[in-house]
Amino acid sequence: MITNDNRIRIIIGHYGSGKSEFAINYVTKLRKEVQNKVALSDLDVVNVYFRTREKKELLKSLDILPIDSSIDAPTLDLPALSGQIATPINDKSYEYVMDVGGDNVGARVVGRFNHLIKENDYDMFCVVNANREQTQTAEKVIEHIRAIEKSSGLKVTGLINNTHLIRSTTIEDILRGQELVSKVSKLCDIPVKYVVCMENLIPQLPKDLEGEVFPIKLYMREDWM
């Protein structure tokens, strides 16, 4: 259950992993499960596409505080950090989800706040899509994890199998991704936390998968995409 995860949830993942899609699905589910205040910060100052800040109005309508990394200017996208990022870290009345940039450069942003993040107060989840070139082998996934850990000064505490081809995803894709994250889990002693899946594929999943099945909807992709 997402309510069993630590209060601060840091979501990382390589470009194309579906990291931001997972983050927005996670935070909307979290909002339904907890009484505390809920915040989502978009810390991706590297990739300008498919960022959670694009759903700011939706988040507000769900009583989720959206926090951007950039200055709020309608025609500009400036890699400036909002002072608001630290507020839910320090305020324990918040459940906090942080959507971090897709590589070690992007992870430096959260690294600026690691001195505020207590060891037993956070989880850092690595979203893995085995269909992406940069994360098709255990060695590449581990290399990515180590680079993020070094840059952020924090440790990955869970793996998320989000192997997909958007609406063309098959059960074979998910199971291939599961084999990959299971291998990484054994090599690094990091548990598999969630298996992401579109709801229509859930009945086809084996019942003995490591990790909790996490159904999602596509917030970040319009119907025409």
Side-chain angles (χ1 to χ4, degrees):
M1 286 288 294
I2 58 177
T3 53
N4 293 331
D5 297 335
N6 283 318
R7 186 180 67 85
I8 300 170
R9 291 87 159 174
I10 303 165
I11 313 298
I12 66 166
H14 228 304
Y15 304 116
S17 65
K19 166 184 62 67
S20 293
E21 190 73 82
F22 175 79
I24 197 166
N25 272 272
Y26 187 102
V27 79
T28 54
K29 291 179 190 294
L30 185 63
R31 173 69 285 170
K32 296 174 184 178
E33 297 291 335
V34 299
Q35 297 299 316
N36 286 2
K37 294 180 287 187
V38 176
L40 170 66
S41 61
D42 177 357
L43 303 185
D44 195 340
V45 297
V46 178
N47 180 28
V48 298
Y49 302 107
F50 302 112
R51 295 179 296 182
T52 50
R53 73 187 64 182
E54 298 169 17
K55 300 300 177 181
K56 182 185 296 187
E57 295 308 313
L58 169 65
L59 295 169
K60 288 180 179 178
S61 73
L62 296 173
D63 194 26
I64 298 168
L65 173 65
I67 301 172
D68 294 351
S69 57
S70 296
I71 294 171
D72 189 13
T75 59
L76 297 176
D77 187 27
L78 304 175
L81 300 180
S82 166
Q84 202 175 15
I85 291 170
T87 299
I89 297 176
N90 295 318
D91 185 345
K92 292 186 181 297
S93 68
Y94 276 97
E95 301 284 334
Y96 196 14
V97 179
M98 306 175 78
D99 180 16
V100 179
D103 61 9
N104 59 311
V105 175
R108 290 176 188 166
V109 175
V110 75
R112 292 185 59 176
F113 300 93
N114 64 15
H115 64 288
L116 301 175
I117 300 173
K118 308 302 181 185
E119 182 176 353
N120 296 320
D121 202 26
Y122 83 93
D123 278 302
M124 186 155 72
F125 297 141
C126 181
V127 179
V128 178
N129 180 358
N131 283 329
R132 300 298 295 177
E133 181 180 359
Q134 302 96 328
T135 51
Q136 289 183 343
T137 67
E139 292 73 21
K140 287 185 176 181
V141 174
I142 293 170
E143 181 181 347
H144 174 63
I145 288 173
R146 297 308 180 219
I148 294 287
E149 289 181 332
K150 181 177 180 181
S151 185
S152 68
L154 301 169
K155 290 291 184 181
V156 170
T157 62
L159 302 171
I160 297 167
N161 174 18
N162 190 33
T163 301
H164 68 90
L165 288 169
I166 312 174
R167 294 181 180 86
S168 299
T169 305
T170 66
I171 200 71
E172 289 75 22
D173 290 315
I174 298 169
L175 294 180
R176 186 173 66 258
Q178 191 69 8
E179 183 178 353
L180 174 61
V181 295
S182 294
K183 185 175 180 180
V184 174
S185 174
K186 290 181 175 63
L187 290 171
C188 298
D189 194 27
I190 301 172
V192 179
K193 290 290 296 185
Y194 298 107
V195 182
V196 178
C197 185
M198 297 288 287
E199 289 188 352
N200 63 304
L201 292 176
I202 290 177
Q204 302 178 50
L205 286 175
K207 303 301 182 184
D208 59 347
L209 289 178
E210 181 184 2
E212 179 182 337
V213 174
F214 192 99
I216 64 165
K217 61 183 295 185
L218 298 180
Y219 287 101
M220 304 303 300
R221 295 271 179 169
E222 306 299 336
D223 290 341
W224 54 269
M225 290 181 175

